[in-house]
Each structure stands twice: as C-alpha cells, then as structure tokens.
Amino acid sequence: MLFPLIVGVIIQFHFAFSVSVNVVLTALILLVSLAVPIASKWPFVSRLYVPASVITFYLIGGYLGSLNDSRLHPKYFWDEASAEASNFACKIVEPPEEKVNSIKAVVQVFQRNDQAVTGKTLLYFQKDSAANNLRYGDVLYFTGRFNQISQNNNPKEFNYRRYLRIHDIHHQLYLKSENWSWQRNEGNSLVKSIFDLRHYLSEVIQESGMNDKNVMVANALLLGQKELLDKEVLRSYSSAGAMHVLAVSGLHVGIIMLILNFIFSPIKKRRAGKWLFLSLVVGGIWFYAIITGLSPSVLRAAVMFSFIVFGKELQRETNIYQSLMFSAFVLILIEPYIIFQVGFQLSYLAVLGIVYLQPKISNWFYFSNTVLDKAWQITAVSLAAQTATFPLGLYYFHQFPNFFMLSNLIVIPLAFVLLIVGVTYLVLHFVPIVSHLLLLVFDSLLSLLNLGVEWVERLPYSILWGISIEWFEVVAIYITMLLAVIGIRKRSFQLIASSSVLTVLLLLFNILEKTQISNENKVFIYNIKDELAVDVFYGMENRFYASKTLMQDESKLLFHVKHNWFYRSGQEQPTEYEEIQYLKTLKCGEHNFVFADTVLGQPLIADFSSIDYLVIHDVSYVHSENVKIFQEFSLNLIVLPSVKYKVVNYLKSNLESSRVYDVKESGCFELTF
C-alpha cells in the first residue's frame, strides 16, 4: 500500500487540502470490517477489500501531508489577513548557519503576543557577537512582521519556495540586533550533545594540521559538513561524478554496514549469535549516524540499511525489496514530504538499482584475476547505481559525468579505507602515537583521493553540461528503461518494441522543442537581488549583459540564470558577455531598451522618443522632472528589486500602472521580439 500512500501525499502537497482524522478513522474501521473472516467469505465483500485498501491509504497519505503543513493548523503563528508586527517567542531547532551578511536559523515559534502558536520559520539575524553565539535550543523573544517566502519567477530557476515548503517553512524575517533578545536554552540534552560532539569532532579535524583542501573533504566525508567546501572542490568532485563521496548518506552508511558485517559475521555461528550480530551491526550503524550529526540524509540511510540488515538476517534474501519498501513506508509515516527530497529519491533508486541490476551486470564478464574481478565488481555497482539514478540526475543537476566509472574505481575503494581510518582517528585522536600514525595515513589517503578526482576532472569531455529535461521526460525515461530491461530479460519483442517507440517519441519531442527555441528571439530581465542581469536570445545563442561582479559569482548565476541557459542553449556559459552600460540603447528587434541607475535623481537631458523600455536599477530617488519625461514619451518602466520601495510606489502612483513592471513583484520580465 506504499503507492496509494505516496499518491495521497503528492496530491495533498499540490492542492494543500486538509483530511480530517475522523475520515481516516472511518476508512480504517471499514477496512478492518472488510477483513473480518465472516465478511470476507462473501464474494462481493472480498472484491471490495483491495479498492478499499487503496482509498484508505490514499486518505492516510493526505492526512499525513496535511499534518506536515503547519499553515493548515488553526494556531499557525502568522495570519496574512492581520499581518502586523507582533511579539514572538521561539526556539532554535537546528544549529545556526553563518551567511555572508547574517546568521540564519530555523526556529519553532511557540508564542505570539500572549497566545500559544505553532510553526517553523526562518530568521536572519544581523551579525554581531550575540548572533554569532546562538546555538541549538536557544529560546528567543523578538518583535517583527513576517514576509511570505516569495519565488523570483526566473525561467527554469530552482524553486526555493517549494524547497522550503517541503520542510514546512513558509515565512521569513530579518531581525536587527535591537529587535530580539536571548532568554535561555531549552535544547534536548541528547540532541544538544550530538551537535556538540559533531562540533568538537569538526574542530579536531580542523586543528589536525592537514592542508585546507584535505580538512574540507575530511569534514564532508566523515561529518557531512558540505557547507565548508569551496567552489573549486565542489566543481572538481561534481565534474568527476564523485559528489556522492562528499555527502554522508547511503554510500557511507552502506560502507559502514559492510565493514561491521565483515567484522561481526563470526558471531553468528554462536548460540543466539544472530541477535547479537544484529545488535552490533545496527547499533554500529546508528552510532555512526550519531557522530555524523544525525542529518536527514544519514537518518534516512540508517533507517533503510537497518531494515535491510534485519530483512536479510531474519527473512529470506529475496525479501530485500520488502525491507526497502517497509523502510520507505516508515520514513513517509514519520515525515511524509520526504518523498520530495532529492536525497530520498536518489538513495532508494540507487539501492534498488544495485540490488536488481548489479548481479546481472556483474555476470557480463568473469575475471580469474582477483584485482580485475574486484575492479569489475565496483564498476558493476557504479553502472547499476548510475543507470537507476541518471534520469533524476539530469533533471536536478543538468549534467552527466562521462567518466563516473573511472572516478568510482578511485573514490569507492578510497572512501572505504578512508572511513575506516577516519572514524578510527576520531575515536582515538587523544592517544598520542596512535593518532599521529592514523592522521598520517588519513592525510595521505585524502591527498590521493583529491589528486585522483582532479585528474579525472581534467580529462577531455569529463562532464556533459547543460542538459535540461522536464519531469514528464524523467517519467518517460524510466518507463522506457523498465520496458527495455523486462523485455530483454523475458525476450519479449512487444516490450522491446514499446521501449523503442517511446525512445523515438522522446527524441522527437526534444527535436521539436529545440526547433521551437531556435526560432525564438527573446529578452529576459532577471529578478536578482541587487543585480541587473539581461539575456538577449537569438535562437539558441545569447548575449548576456550584467556586472562583472555577477559574472564572477558562480553560485548566483547557477541559482538564478544558468538553468535558463541549459534549457535554451544547452551551454554553461553565454555565447557573448558584455558589461552593463547605463543610458546606452540596447536594440532587440523593434524594441529599444535603456538602463538607468542613480542618474535619475537629477533631471535628465536626453531624447527618449525612440525608447520603448527604461530599466531602472539601484535607485533611491527619482526627480519629478524625469517622471514628467516618462509621462510625455509614454515610457514603459521595468523596475528592478534594487529600487527602493518608496520609489516604486511613487512611480506607480504617478504613471499608468500598466506601464510600470515591478520585477520583484511580478518576476522576470520576458519579451519575444
């Protein structure tokens, strides 16, 4: 009944409806009634049981989804209808994260004025000594007015609002130092000790004396702290197809499970040894999960592999699929929106791919040489996991690492050894001679890992960038693959033919899509905070206008702009780049654009008769004489988010509303010419 449960969660998420607990209880009672032996003897009743089960679990999915959406709770902390500044009390529920200009914290709000409320939210604190000292479990009082998390609405941009909604966060607030105060710490002692342990182990790694790159990779590999990685390291591992080694998740927990399984296997031969073996292996998995901070990806992997271990030892090996499905069922019951998390999807698909495809791929070749055989087994695992996950990888990350098999031959064996040595070092770091020897080995292996990844990255055509597909294409690719695999296995011409037809249809769709794009000329003025960025596309070629600062900011470009490049041109870089020049005319077909900034604060002496659109950026004051010019020439204004709020209102009140396009409010400006 996993499938109807998932469908219920998906539909509830998209339509934000609420399912009453009474409806769910009624459905469960009816389902149990249909299963009563006396009732089940009646043919028409037994035929009702399956559809009743599907409906019941669909309703359970909808109910769980509505529980996970705090906005549907009658005591949600923020009411848009009466959105005015209030006094709040909250507790920090995750370790705060340092940003460039602020301290970011996820908090649980429990009081508004004198009323008890509920709901998670994001708080951004002005940087000062007090904000820098914030910790998990801190209780704070603050005053403010929340803003709903908005979407920039740039074409193909990562949907940050949806991402936060998956984590039940819908509002945010920036707090200046004078608008909040610390009260006390009420953090769960166990959770707090886990965070403190992780912070301590991170300091052990940082003070080990290794070079910066090795420290960053060690923190990511052992503790899952990817936020410490710099752009160069991320780029290298991504291009080499080795990013999975830097995120503590299924790979790492799976390796720990294999190590523990190998160490404790002899115990199974003793009386009651199976139960002792299970206790030690599962306990070891959860101990590793704890020292790595119990992040969502680690928790997910720990649950999944715990069920796999139990399923393998207590049932028949063929029931590993049941173990996987049951672990997913449990995780969805606990956190229903987990099905939308990329890590959850990739983890389960990778394991399913390895379980089903790896034995079949492994049988393609046989090597009597032990080293060659082990290399082939690793390659078979890589092929199985990559085959099962590459459609999702294309959809989410727009890239394909061409040499993933080669990189995995390097990173998987090294990750195996690095985890053993690294965890042992963290456990014994206080033992002088032993810790020095372990650190020496660990540091050398990390350097070897980084060199191997960088070597793969430097190979020609190491990565295929700029792939853009839609969600329905992902579904179609998986259906095509499934039909092909089953068709080949069962030697069914019909299934293989169906797979081939679907493949041709996918290719035709992409050809038609690219043909349409190549015949389009479009201009985009993006919605990016504090930036002016303009794309002019002539078919699949584009000229990008922006500041040098933005052009050098890889993270901003990837978040706001590059997804549109991937979709329209299939490239990671623009065809041409030109720095923005103010008060210069940009001609796009029959339309003329001019960019203006702070010069609008004084009267302009210019001929605007041939100008159609005036793009306003970084303006805090507009001279009244300029507004008269805008009226005289019937200019269309495109106002960027950098323009002060009072200026936007002033322009809207003095000009026709249809002639003022507020990018912050309406999203990216698009025009076909």
Side-chain angles (χ1 to χ4, degrees):
M1 290 295 107
L2 182 62
F3 183 71
L5 182 76
I6 291 174
V7 170
V9 174
I10 292 172
I11 294 177
Q12 189 283 326
F13 178 81
H14 287 289
F15 293 97
F17 62 84
S18 180
V19 177
S20 168
V21 65
N22 294 329
V23 173
V24 175
L25 289 175
T26 302
L28 283 170
I29 291 169
L30 288 173
L31 185 63
V32 172
S33 301
L34 292 174
V36 173
I38 297 175
S40 61
K41 290 179 181 178
W42 300 336
F44 76 95
V45 172
S46 60
R47 285 195 294 268
L48 287 174
Y49 185 77
V50 172
S53 299
V54 170
I55 293 171
T56 300
F57 279 90
Y58 165 79
L59 290 172
I60 291 173
Y63 172 69
L64 292 172
S66 59
L67 283 182
N68 204 67
D69 190 343
S70 57
R71 292 175 304 171
L72 301 175
H73 196 285
K75 291 189 176 181
Y76 184 60
F77 70 87
W78 191 242
D79 181 10
E80 299 293 347
S82 57
E84 55 186 30
S86 303
N87 299 316
F88 296 92
C90 70
K91 183 166 76 171
I92 298 177
V93 293
E94 294 179 14
E97 182 181 346
E98 184 175 358
K99 296 292 185 181
V100 177
N101 299 313
S102 62
I103 303 295
K104 171 186 170 184
V106 177
V107 304
Q108 182 75 34
V109 182
F110 60 85
Q111 183 178 314
R112 178 178 181 176
N113 296 328
D114 296 326
Q115 295 181 332
V117 293
T118 186
K120 282 198 302 184
T121 190
L122 276 180
L123 293 182
Y124 292 88
F125 298 88
Q126 181 182 349
K127 270 191 176 181
D128 57 19
S129 58
N132 287 328
N133 288 325
L134 288 172
R135 296 290 180 266
Y136 158 79
D138 284 349
V139 174
L140 313 174
Y141 289 167
F142 64 93
T143 302
R145 182 185 183 279
F146 280 92
N147 296 313
Q148 189 172 24
I149 293 170
S150 59
Q151 185 63 19
N152 293 316
N153 291 323
N154 292 315
K156 305 298 177 181
E157 182 185 70
F158 171 70
N159 195 331
Y160 185 59
R161 180 168 61 185
R162 180 181 182 275
Y163 168 80
L164 289 178
R165 189 189 161 195
I166 289 169
H167 295 85
D168 196 24
I169 296 173
H170 312 278
H171 291 85
Q172 61 185 358
L173 174 64
Y174 178 81
L175 288 172
K176 293 184 177 180
S177 302
E178 63 269 18
N179 291 335
W180 68 276
S181 62
W182 182 91
Q183 297 299 311
R184 57 191 179 277
N185 188 285
E186 291 183 356
N188 179 281
S189 57
L190 175 60
V191 177
K192 187 179 177 183
S193 62
I194 290 171
F195 288 140
D196 289 343
L197 174 61
R198 193 184 189 205
H199 179 71
Y200 171 73
L201 293 176
S202 178
E203 287 186 338
V204 169
I205 293 172
Q206 290 175 8
E207 295 172 2
S208 62
M210 295 187 291
N211 63 54
D212 291 343
K213 184 177 291 186
N214 285 1
V215 166
M216 287 187 288
V217 174
N219 265 304
L221 179 70
L222 297 177
L223 304 176
Q225 295 183 330
K226 289 196 299 180
E227 64 274 9
L228 301 177
L229 296 167
D230 62 23
K231 295 175 185 177
E232 287 73 22
V233 173
L234 284 170
R235 179 78 179 202
S236 295
Y237 277 78
S238 177
S239 299
M243 272 300 295
H244 52 283
V245 81
L246 296 181
V248 175
S249 57
L251 171 67
H252 303 71
V253 178
I255 291 173
I256 292 296
M257 182 193 72
L258 292 174
I259 294 169
L260 295 171
N261 189 72
F262 175 77
I263 294 172
F264 297 123
S265 282
I267 295 175
K268 290 193 287 185
K269 298 176 182 178
R270 300 180 181 181
R271 178 182 294 182
K274 181 181 288 187
W275 291 104
L276 180 58
F277 169 81
L278 285 171
S279 301
L280 291 171
V281 173
V282 174
I285 287 173
W286 282 97
F287 174 75
Y288 176 72
I290 288 172
I291 69 168
T292 53
L294 285 175
S295 66
S297 59
V298 174
L299 277 171
R300 181 175 60 244
V303 170
M304 181 172 67
F305 282 106
S306 295
F307 276 103
I308 289 174
V309 172
F310 272 104
K312 187 176 180 182
E313 295 302 322
L314 300 181
Q315 304 174 26
R316 295 178 182 176
E317 194 165 341
T318 52
N319 280 329
I320 189 170
Y321 296 106
Q322 293 179 9
S323 300
L324 280 171
M325 295 303 103
F326 189 66
S327 67
F329 187 83
V330 170
L331 286 169
I332 293 170
L333 289 179
I334 296 170
E335 187 181 352
Y337 286 171
I338 196 174
I339 62 174
F340 299 109
Q341 295 179 18
V342 180
F344 175 84
Q345 298 168 10
L346 291 176
S347 294
Y348 275 89
L349 282 171
V351 174
L352 284 171
I354 291 169
V355 170
Y356 181 74
L357 293 175
Q358 192 273 339
K360 298 171 179 59
I361 296 172
S362 180
N363 290 332
W364 290 353
F365 301 103
Y366 172 75
F367 297 96
S368 56
N369 182 283
T370 304
V371 175
L372 289 176
D373 183 62
K374 293 297 181 185
W376 171 239
Q377 295 304 321
I378 292 173
T379 304
V381 170
S382 301
L383 273 171
Q386 197 72 38
T387 301
T389 59
F390 87 88
L392 273 184
L394 299 181
Y395 177 68
Y396 286 119
F397 308 118
H398 308 283
Q399 64 184 45
F400 186 82
N402 294 321
F403 300 123
F404 68 90
M405 288 189 292
L406 180 58
S407 64
N408 281 327
L409 282 173
I410 298 170
V411 302
I412 290 180
L414 281 174
F416 197 93
V417 180
L418 278 164
L419 278 173
I420 297 173
V421 178
V423 172
T424 307
Y425 168 69
L426 291 178
V427 172
L428 301 177
H429 70 276
F430 55 87
V431 182
I433 298 176
V434 176
S435 64
H436 288 312
L437 290 173
L438 288 169
L439 179 60
L440 180 64
V441 175
F442 188 53
D443 191 23
S444 302
L445 290 172
L446 284 170
S447 298
L448 184 61
L449 175 67
N450 289 328
L451 285 172
V453 168
E454 289 167 4
W455 174 71
V456 174
E457 182 209 5
R458 287 194 296 268
L459 292 174
Y461 310 107
S462 63
I463 189 167
L464 185 62
W465 268 100
I467 302 169
S468 181
I469 59 176
E470 302 293 340
W471 67 267
F472 56 84
E473 292 180 88
V474 176
V475 174
I477 292 171
Y478 275 116
I479 293 173
T480 302
M481 291 166 52
L482 193 61
L483 291 173
V485 170
I486 297 174
I488 292 170
R489 188 181 177 192
K490 294 188 174 183
R491 299 181 181 179
S492 170
F493 173 78
Q494 290 86 352
L495 291 177
I496 295 173
S498 300
S499 175
S500 301
V501 169
L502 194 51
T503 302
V504 171
L505 289 175
L506 273 170
L507 290 173
L508 285 174
F509 172 79
N510 277 276
I511 291 170
L512 290 172
E513 187 178 46
K514 291 301 179 186
T515 302
Q516 180 185 351
I517 291 172
S518 63
N519 292 326
E520 277 185 345
N521 294 332
K522 297 198 75 168
V523 59
F524 299 91
I525 301 177
Y526 295 102
N527 181 10
I528 307 175
K529 184 181 179 182
D530 299 328
E531 295 287 353
L532 169 54
V534 181
D535 249 330
V536 182
F537 276 90
Y538 300 93
M540 297 179 69
E541 295 186 349
N542 70 311
R543 176 172 287 183
F544 184 56
Y545 298 86
S547 66
K548 287 183 178 178
T549 306
L550 177 60
M551 196 61 191
Q552 294 168 357
D553 193 331
E554 183 67 22
S555 59
K556 264 190 179 181
L557 286 175
L558 184 58
F559 190 91
H560 298 288
V561 178
K562 285 198 173 186
H563 293 269
N564 197 33
W565 294 349
F566 297 154
Y567 172 69
R568 305 196 72 84
S569 66
Q571 300 297 321
E572 188 195 2
Q573 297 294 332
T575 311
E576 294 181 54
Y577 162 71
E578 188 174 317
E579 192 172 358
I580 286 286
Q581 296 184 42
Y582 292 97
L583 297 181
K584 293 290 179 103
T585 302
L586 171 64
K587 189 172 182 62
C588 300
E590 297 179 353
H591 305 281
N592 294 319
F593 292 79
V594 166
F595 308 112
D597 58 356
T598 53
V599 295
L600 293 179
Q602 51 191 334
L604 293 177
I605 303 174
D607 181 14
F608 286 96
S609 58
S610 61
I611 302 303
D612 301 294
Y613 295 92
L614 183 67
V615 183
I616 304 176
H617 168 62
D618 194 22
V619 173
S620 56
Y621 172 71
V622 176
H623 199 282
S624 58
E625 291 298 319
N626 292 329
V627 175
K628 292 178 181 178
I629 294 174
F630 302 158
Q631 293 171 332
E632 179 184 351
F633 292 102
S634 299
L635 287 181
N636 296 298
L637 303 185
I638 301 172
V639 184
L640 295 179
S642 56
V643 177
K644 295 294 184 182
Y645 181 72
K646 62 180 182 180
V647 175
V648 178
N649 284 341
Y650 174 65
L651 292 173
K652 287 180 178 179
S653 61
N654 285 276
L655 300 169
E656 295 178 40
S657 59
S658 61
R659 292 192 175 277
V660 180
Y661 186 92
D662 186 355
V663 171
K664 185 176 182 179
E665 182 181 277
S666 304
C668 174
F669 174 85
E670 298 182 28
L671 177 69
T672 303
F673 61 91

